[in-house]
Structures are given as C-alpha cells and as structure tokens.
Amino acid sequence: MGKAVGGPRILAITSEKGGVGKSTLAVHLAGALTERGLKVVLVDEDGRVGSSIRWAERGAKHGGLGFPVLDPDGAKPKVLAASDVIVIDTEGRPKRKELRALAERADLLLVPSGVSALEGEATRELVDYLDGQGPAAQNLRVVLCRVPPVGNAAEEVREELRDAGMRVCNTVIRQYAAYTKAAELGLLARDVRDPRAQSAWADVVTLAQELI
Ligand SMILES: Nc1ncnc2c1ncn2[C@@H]1O[C@H](COP(=O)(O)OP(=O)(O)O)[C@@H](O)[C@H]1O
Ligand SMILES: [Mg+2]
C-alpha cells in the first residue's frame, strides 16, 4: 500500500500509548467520511480485543458500520485502490522503524493524545522523533481526545504543544460515554441511545472536515 498521486488518501492513526482512543477515532472518522459519501475502507493492523475488526464484528447484528473493516491480509489491492480514503488503525506503541514507515506511506498521520501531563509527554516524544526524520513529519497532526467536556484543559494543552512546534487540530474529541456505548454495541456514536450521542458525533464530523 503506497502513496499514489490521485489514488486513495491514506489516513493512519498511531500513538505512543495504548488506550488513548485510536480505534474509537479510526472507526468514527471512517463513519463520518462515509456519511459524506466517500468510499472508505478501514484497515485494522491491530486485531486484538478492542480493535476495529472486533468492533465491526459486534456491530454486524445491529446493521453494521456502513464501511468495510479489513485485516491487512484481507485487504485486496483492488478494493483499496477503488476507495477514496483508507483509514489505518494501529496497535500503538510502534517501534521507531515502523513509525517512520507508517509516516512515509500515510498522507496524514494522526496522533490522538489525552490532555493529561503524562499523555502530553508521550505524544511529544513520538512527535519529536518524527520531526527528526525530515519530510515524514510533514503530515503529522495531533488530535486531542477524551477531552473533558467541561473546563479548558484542551486549550492549555493545545497551546503547549503548539508552542513546542507541533501541529494540533483545532477540533477536539470530547470524552463522552456515547463512544464507549458505541464500542460495546459495535456501532457509531451517532447510532446509540445516549443523551450526548449527537454531541459526540458532531466532534467527529467536524474533525473529519478539518482533515479531509
Ligand atoms: N472520546 C472518548 N470518550 C469516552 N471514552 C473514550 C473516548 N475515546 C476512547 N474512549 C474509550 O477509551 C478506551 C480506549 O479507547 P480505544 O479507542 O480502544 O483506544 P486505543 O485504540 O488507542 O487503544 C475504550 O474503552 C473507549 O471506549
Ligand atoms: Mg485500538
């Protein structure tokens, strides 16, 4: 799967820490882009519990996600080539070599980060490494995730990260139980019964517009 001019856009998601919300972001961005009418394939390079493939499997009995979620071996070149966007969900904590390779083949490398001091530090380490790798870092964006809906934690962290020279998305993904419910049911936050489901969905739609 390489970058090709005029071919599908490749949007890869990785992080230095596990549990920051990569799979949640991958599934929801793929959903938001599909809703816009784009042909999206989600490739899951993780495959463990909590990964996107398992997410799609749980959702199959409720009507499904609306886009295919494939493992790297099941992702046929023809299917990939026919798509507008390929979203790649990864295991996280990548080895440095893998990280560089991922950055090189992606048009956009998204790094979700929590807003705690430790998560910010982990994100900074990963971004610092990529910055030292030249052009690979150009396509990197930090997305603040699991942001408390109340207070201004995100603004503070965004300023800090931007002062350190990182590109941080304006849109943040707030912390909502709707995302956890969506994961449990194998659906998108848009489609779960929850008072904040539409707020959760709105964050993802806005982020998708900012990115693609
Ligand atoms: N924005 C969010 N709001 C609330 N819970 C979230 C959010 N993002 C992720 N989670 C929850 O955090 C946990 C880890 O998320 P996940 O997407 O599996 O992370 P990763 O793929 O990075 O390991 C899951 O239980 C998920 O439901
Ligand atoms: Mg995951």
Side-chain angles (χ1 to χ4, degrees), residues 18-24 44 46-52 89-92:
V20 292
K22 286 181 298 298
S23 298
T24 303
D44 184 356
D46 188 351
R48 294 168 309 171
V49 178
S51 72
S52 304
D89 181 20
T90 69
E91 185 179 342

Side-chain angles (χ1 to χ4, degrees), residues 18-24 50 146 173-176 179-180 183:
V20 292
K22 286 181 298 298
S23 298
T24 303
R146 308 184 66 168
I173 302 295
R174 288 171 290 178
Q175 179 149 18
Y176 286 122
Y179 289 114
T180 313

